[in-house]
C-alpha cells in the first residue's frame, strides 16, 4: 500500500459494467515524506468518505477490486483508508 | 518477499474492514546491506514487529490474506518476519566494516534495553534503541 493525496474527481457517464456507483478520484501517489511521486492515478473510493486534499492510502492490482462491494469490478487502484497521521519512529531511519 | 525497515506507523480511523484492529507499519525498503533503496510500503503487521526493526515483507494478496485468515479483502502487503541477520556476499557488498556489518535486529538489541527507553512495548517506543543498535553495528 502507498500513501496518496486526493487531487480530483472523475465523472464518467459511459463506463464498464460494474463501475456504476463507484466513486472515482484522482490521487497523487506520495513518498513517505509526502512528496509527490510518479503520475497521478484514478482510484475507486472504497471507503466512501475520501474528500479533496485528503491523505489516503491506496492499494493496487487485484486487491483494489477486493476493496469494493462487488469484488469483480474493473478497478485497479482503490482508496482503502484515510490517514489520520503518519507517525515517524524516532531514530527509525527518518 | 522484500527486506524493509520499520520507520513509522500509519494511524487511520476510516478504513476497509479488513484493517480493523491491525497495525499499519510504514516500512522503508532496504538493500541486503541494510541501506534504504528508496521505496517504501505500508504493511499490515502480523508478527509484532517494532520500530526500527529489519523485517520481511510479503507483497502478494492471496498469500497475505491466507496469513491473516481472511478470504477476501483489499489486503496485499504484510510483515511476515523479523530478520535476525542477513548473511552472505549480498549483505556486505556495500558495507564498510567487516564482521560487525551484518544487519542485526533482535538479538543485538537485547543486552542494553533496561538502561534507557524502557517504555511501553508499543510500536513507537522500542525503535529508539533498536536503531541505535543498528547504527552502532554498521559503524563497526
Amino acid at each position: 500500500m502507498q500513501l496518496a493525496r486526493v487531487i480530483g474527481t472523475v465523472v464518467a457517464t459511459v463506463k464498464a459494467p460494474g463501475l456504476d456507483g463507484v466513486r472515482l478520484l484522482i490521487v497523487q501517489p506520495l513518498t513517505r515524506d509526502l512528496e509527490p511521486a510518479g503520475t497521478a492515478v484514478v482510484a475507486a473510493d472504497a471507503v466512501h468518505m475520501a474528500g479533496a486534499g485528503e491523505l489516503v492510502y491506496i492499494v493496487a492490482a487485484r486487491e483494489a477490486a477486493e476493496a469494493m462491494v462487488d469484488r469483480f469490478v474493473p478497478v485497479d487502484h482503490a482508496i482503502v483508508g484515510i490517514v489520520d497521521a503518519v507517525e515517524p519512529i524516532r531514530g527509525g531511519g527518518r | 518477499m522484500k527486506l524493509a525497515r520499520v520507520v513509522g506507523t500509519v494511524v487511520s480511523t476510516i478504513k476497509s474492514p479488513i484493517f480493523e484492529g491491525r497495525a499499519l507499519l510504514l516500512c522503508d525498503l532496504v538493500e541486503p546491506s541494510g541501506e534504504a533503496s528508496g521505496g517504501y510500503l505500508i504493511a499490515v503487521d502480523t508478527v509484532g514487529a517494532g520500530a526500527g526493526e529489519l523485517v520481511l515483507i510479503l507483497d502478494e494478496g492471496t498469500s497475505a490474506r491466507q496469513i491473516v485468515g481472511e478470504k477476501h479483502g483489499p489486503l496485499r502487503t504484510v510483515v511476515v518476519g523479523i530478520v535476525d541477520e542477513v548473511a552472505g556476499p549480498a549483505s556486505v557488498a556495500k558495507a564498510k566494516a567487516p564482521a560487525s556489518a551484518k544487519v542485526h535486529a533482535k538479538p543485538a538489541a537485547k543486552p542494553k534495553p533496561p538502561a534507557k527507553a524502557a517504555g511501553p512495548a508499543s510500536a513507537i517506543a522500542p525503535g529508539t534503541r533498536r536503531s541505535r543498535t543498528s547504527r552502532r553495528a554498521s559503524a563497526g
Side-chain angles (χ1 to χ4, degrees), chain B residues 4 17 27 55 59 75 78 91 139:
Chain B
C27 304
V55 294
D59 191 20
L75 175 65
V78 288
S91 67

Side-chain angles (χ1 to χ4, degrees), chain B residues 15-31:
Chain B
K15 53 195 167 190
S16 285
I18 197 168
F19 299 118
E20 296 290 345
R22 303 189 199 279
L24 293 175
L25 301 178
L26 190 64
C27 304
D28 270 354
L29 300 179
V30 299
E31 306 284 347

Side-chain angles (χ1 to χ4, degrees), chain A residues 41-69:
Chain A
V41 294
V42 178
D45 181 10
V47 295
H48 309 290
M49 284 192 188
E54 214 143 33
L55 185 61
V56 298
Y57 49 100
I58 58 173
V59 68
R62 170 67 186 135
E63 284 63 46
E66 286 279 345
M68 312 309 289
V69 179

Side-chain angles (χ1 to χ4, degrees), chain A residues 1-4 29-33 37 46-50 54 56-68 71-72 78-94, chain B residues 5-16 19 24-28 39-44 50-52 59-62 65 71-77 123-128 131-132 135:
Chain A
M1 290 179 287
Q2 303 273 308
L3 296 168
L30 306 172
T31 67
R32 69 171 166 90
D33 298 315
V47 295
H48 309 290
M49 284 192 188
E54 214 143 33
V56 298
Y57 49 100
I58 58 173
V59 68
R62 170 67 186 135
E63 284 63 46
E66 286 279 345
M68 312 309 289
R71 293 184 293 106
F72 295 96
I79 295 169
V80 291
I82 298 175
V83 177
D84 297 329
V86 179
E87 295 184 341
I89 295 166
R90 273 179 297 117
R94 285 175 75 97
Chain B
R5 194 170 299 281
V6 179
V7 295
T9 56
V10 175
V11 184
S12 169
T13 310
I14 299 165
K15 53 195 167 190
S16 285
F19 299 118
L24 293 175
L25 301 178
L26 190 64
C27 304
D28 270 354
Y40 77 99
L41 284 170
I42 300 171
V44 167
D59 191 20
E60 200 282 312
T62 309
R65 288 189 291 276
K71 271 191 172 168
H72 302 296
L75 175 65
R76 166 176 160 172
T77 316
I124 298 166
T128 345
S131 43
R132 255 196 289 119
R135 271 203 300 273

